[in-house]
Amino acid sequence: VALSQGKIPMLLRNRGGLFVNAPNVFGIPMTGPGMWIAAMGADVVGTPYPDLLLWHDINGLQLKTSMGRENRAIKLELTGTRDKGSNRRTNADGIGATVQVLAGMLRTTTELGTQSAGMGQSRLPISLGMGRAERADAVRIRWPDQVT
C-alpha cells in the first residue's frame, strides 16, 4: 500500500518484479466516495502468509486473507538482550534493527520502526518474503548498537 504523488492511496501488486497499481482488487475503488482510508499487513489468521487489514470509510474494518500461492515468507520476532557485566545491550523490541533475509538470489531487507505498535502494545512478528524458496539461506540482523 502506498500514496501517490497526489496523496491518493494505491494498492500495488508485484508482477514479476514490477509493481502495478491494482485499484479495484477488492471490488471497491481505492479513491472517490466509499474509499479505503488505512491499510496494514499482518498475519491475522495464523498462516504463513500476510493478510491485509483495511479501513473503509463506509464499510469500516475489513480483513482480506491471503490465499497463499507459491510464495513463502519467514516470520521473525526480535527480542533484545542485556549482557551482564557488559555495556552491550539492545532494546527489547528490536526497534531500529535492520533485518535481511537471503534466499537463493532473493534479498529482502527491512528496518524495524514503531509504526506497527502503539504505546504499551506488543509488536507483531515481522514477515519477510522469500519468493518460492523452501527456506532462508541466511538471516542477518544488525541491532541499533551496530552489533550484528
Side-chain angles (χ1 to χ4, degrees):
V1 176
L3 289 176
S4 70
Q5 288 181 342
K7 308 259 190 258
I8 296 170
M10 299 171 53
L11 179 67
L12 303 175
R13 297 189 76 182
N14 186 342
R15 298 285 185 202
L18 178 66
F19 288 101
V20 178
N21 187 16
N24 284 326
V25 73
F26 299 122
I28 299 173
M30 292 289 282
T31 61
M35 64 183 229
W36 302 108
I37 295 174
M40 180 182 138
D43 177 22
V44 178
V45 296
T47 64
Y49 312 108
D51 304 306
L52 195 57
L53 282 167
L54 298 163
W55 184 264
H56 189 264
D57 67 347
I58 295 172
N59 300 324
L61 186 64
Q62 296 184 19
L63 171 64
K64 304 296 180 179
T65 57
S66 175
M67 296 300 157
R69 311 221 182 234
E70 303 93 29
N71 293 332
R72 300 172 192 261
I74 185 171
K75 286 186 189 180
L76 301 170
E77 189 169 348
L78 301 187
T79 303
T81 62
R82 182 181 300 244
D83 294 336
K84 292 183 180 180
S86 170
N87 62 355
R88 288 188 179 176
R89 63 183 175 83
T90 57
N91 59 70
D93 287 325
I95 295 171
T98 302
V99 181
Q100 182 180 53
V101 172
L102 295 86
M105 297 297 291
L106 182 70
R107 308 289 184 263
T108 306
T109 305
T110 190
E111 184 173 325
L112 276 70
T114 58
Q115 297 167 348
S116 65
M119 292 177 58
Q121 176 184 349
S122 300
R123 291 183 51 85
L124 294 170
I126 58 172
S127 180
L128 293 163
M130 299 189 308
R132 291 186 171 93
E134 294 279 328
R135 67 185 195 298
D137 295 320
V139 176
R140 294 181 183 151
I141 302 169
R142 172 163 252 153
W143 293 92
D145 58 1
Q146 301 307 307
V147 173
T148 301

